[in-house]
Amino acid sequence: MSKLRNILIGAGIATVGGIGTKLAVDYFRNRGQEEKVDETVGDAEPTSVEEVAYAVVEDSTIQTFLDNSFGSPGRYVPTRPPKIFDYQEFQCLVIWAYDNQKEKNQLLAFKYTDEGRKMIASVGYSSEATDYNLNLEETPFAIEVNGEQITSGQGETNGTDEVDFVPAGV
């Protein structure tokens, strides 16, 4: 069983279809739902460091995950399809949601290890301002805000309508 499959089970996240692979540059730039992978084919594994293994997530399980993780049912409501993937030995879950308490959009990124789940990125954004708390320097990832990549630190930058989780330097 793949590490990605184990993470899905441990997090209580259900998939729609099997685990597929795709070029990372295409996967991370897609803001929509990935195509469902035929389960009868079996789980795919990346064949190069340029590929990502991914799963398409059943939407209702993300709301349950958010409610259970933050202890405030309904605070976060998903706004775009989440990404759960294995890329260059990093297993991650990235969720875009609206924070009803702070009244802004939020990107939440988690890295999974043998020790458990660790939040590696939290980005709150609106058209007025974007605030971030990032710990991505030991990963191949960055947050892209207004065309600029950021990998670490806490701070604030200009407002935006979209924040992306991307491979650093790409």
Side-chain angles (χ1 to χ4, degrees):
M1 187 178 294
S2 72
K3 286 184 180 181
L4 187 55
R5 180 70 61 195
N6 286 335
I7 290 165
L8 291 161
I9 292 167
I13 297 172
T15 63
V16 178
I19 293 176
T21 59
K22 190 173 189 178
L23 284 176
V25 67
D26 296 332
Y27 176 76
F28 288 109
R29 293 290 176 194
N30 182 9
R31 291 182 177 166
Q33 185 71 267
E34 294 293 333
E35 282 189 39
K36 181 179 123 178
V37 177
D38 185 352
E39 285 181 282
T40 62
V41 177
D43 291 345
E45 293 286 334
T47 57
S48 75
V49 295
E50 286 85 29
E51 284 187 336
V52 60
Y54 69 91
V56 176
V57 175
E58 187 177 298
D59 292 339
S60 64
T61 60
I62 290 300
Q63 185 64 60
T64 302
F65 172 85
L66 288 168
D67 292 347
N68 292 339
S69 295
F70 295 99
S72 182
R75 175 181 174 181
Y76 295 101
V77 177
T79 57
R80 102 186 208 201
K83 294 197 177 286
I84 188 157
F85 58 89
D86 186 341
Y87 178 66
Q88 297 183 5
E89 298 299 316
F90 287 89
Q91 295 80 40
C92 298
L93 168 63
V94 182
I95 299 172
W96 288 264
Y98 185 76
D99 183 339
N100 286 304
Q101 183 177 348
K102 295 187 178 181
E103 298 182 343
K104 62 182 172 181
N105 291 303
Q106 194 79 27
L107 176 145
L108 305 164
F110 305 91
K111 176 177 79 171
Y112 287 84
T113 66
D114 293 338
E115 291 78 42
R117 178 180 72 214
K118 177 184 176 189
M119 185 176 279
I120 56 174
S122 175
V123 182
Y125 60 101
S126 68
S127 57
E128 290 81 38
T130 301
D131 60 84
Y132 58 89
N133 183 358
L134 307 176
N135 186 16
L136 300 170
E137 60 275 348
E138 294 184 21
T139 74
F141 307 113
I143 298 299
E144 191 170 87
V145 180
N146 296 322
E148 179 184 343
Q149 289 191 3
I150 308 168
T151 59
S152 66
Q154 292 181 318
E156 191 170 299
T157 189
N158 296 332
T160 185
D161 292 327
E162 288 289 348
V163 172
D164 290 310
F165 191 84
V166 297
V170 177

